[in-house]
Amino acid sequence: NFMLTQPHSVSESPGKTVTISCTGSSGSIASNYVQWYQQRPGSAPTTVISEDNQRPSGVPDRFSGSIDSSSNSASLTISGLKTEDEADYYCQSYDSGNHWVFGGGTKLTVL
Amino acid sequence: EVQLVESGGGLVQPGGSLRLSCAASGFNFSRYWMQWVRQAPGKGLEWVSQINSYGSSTNYADSVKGRFTISRDNAKNTLYLQMSSLRAEDTALYYCARGTDQLARSWGQGTLVTVSS
């Protein structure tokens, strides 16, 4: 079964840059689009990156997405960190049967 | 403004049934794929099911296949999830989401389902 693996947690200081990885278990992660969702404590998820690297309207350009085929991974990079970026972040893609797959989530602490 | 409002959650005994609804507004509901995604308390996101814009194509996670049925009423701008043979492990906050067959662009606030005796 296709799986996505994320680090459990990351932390960084305000103003700095952080990158969250999402590694595919099999096949090529570049074959299907990867999305990133932000979930602040007590709130519903929101979409911050879709289709590997597209920012929905209203998402600051501090958020960017990329794919690295050599490591079979996707990455979410947040620059100029703000305390409001503190949240859980989930990557998502899908398998050959179009079943969605979520990564386990990464807790970002901005301290 | 896109709005998705889930309802129908509650406390149900193991083996029981429940129907969730998701009322959509602010967009042309009949043009979009819709999803159900759930989140068990303190856990991550888990995809449950999806339906195409016409209601003619559906897809389910293995964990719910044969027990849950997704449907929609485009005239009423409403998405449904009929859940039966509920188990303790189905306890979760259930979100509906608008998007394509491959991604979500907008999310509701969720409705809580608790399966317990």
Side-chain angles (χ1 to χ4, degrees):
Chain A
N1 282 359
F2 178 62
M3 293 191 303
L4 295 171
T5 301
Q6 300 180 234
H8 182 68
S9 63
V10 296
S11 62
E12 190 49 271
S13 303
K16 299 292 189 179
T17 297
V18 70
T19 297
I20 299 171
S21 63
C22 170
T23 303
S25 63
S26 61
S28 171
I29 201 168
S31 298
N32 297 325
Y33 285 131
V34 175
Q35 283 63 239
W36 290 91
Y37 305 106
Q38 176 193 67
Q39 187 176 35
R40 293 188 173 111
S43 297
T46 62
T47 305
V48 292
I49 293 289
S50 63
E51 296 164 299
D52 296 341
N53 54 22
Q54 302 300 304
R55 269 190 322 275
S57 61
V59 175
D61 61 6
R62 302 185 296 105
F63 290 79
S64 62
S66 63
I67 300 292
D68 181 353
S69 297
S70 64
S71 60
N72 208 37
S73 64
S75 294
L76 171 70
T77 298
I78 310 171
S79 60
L81 273 170
K82 301 184 176 184
T83 54
E84 67 204 48
D85 298 330
E86 192 161 286
D88 293 328
Y89 291 85
Y90 295 90
C91 60
Q92 174 260 319
S93 190
Y94 38 92
D95 64 18
S96 56
N98 228 26
H99 289 200
W100 287 21
V101 176
F102 284 98
T106 298
K107 181 178 180 61
L108 170 62
T109 301
V110 181
L111 37 65
Chain B
E1 180 194 0
V2 172
Q3 281 204 326
L4 298 167
V5 179
E6 301 91 338
S7 62
L11 176 63
V12 61
Q13 292 189 339
S17 299
L18 209 56
R19 188 177 85 157
L20 306 184
S21 299
C22 170
S25 60
F27 65 100
N28 191 337
F29 179 73
S30 64
R31 288 190 173 184
Y32 289 88
W33 282 76
M34 297 294 295
Q35 314 282 338
W36 285 102
V37 175
R38 68 185 181 183
Q39 187 170 35
K43 302 296 185 182
L45 300 175
E46 179 189 14
W47 174 74
V48 174
S49 182
Q50 66 179 195
I51 187 168
N52 71 349
S53 59
Y54 304 104
S56 59
S57 176
T58 59
N59 209 356
Y60 298 92
D62 290 344
S63 57
V64 307
K65 194 168 187 177
R67 300 187 299 121
F68 290 11
T69 301
I70 191 171
S71 63
R72 64 192 297 161
D73 186 334
N74 285 346
K76 294 183 178 179
N77 290 341
T78 303
L79 173 73
Y80 302 102
L81 185 68
Q82 178 68 47
M83 306 184 295
S84 60
S85 302
L86 282 162
R87 306 165 181 168
E89 54 264 36
D90 296 318
T91 294
L93 190 57
Y94 284 73
Y95 296 103
C96 67
R98 176 196 80 145
T100 71
D101 58 333
Q102 298 168 349
L103 59 91
R105 297 197 190 279
S106 306
W107 298 72
Q109 290 302 306
T111 186
L112 181 63
V113 173
T114 302
V115 183
S116 175
S117 54

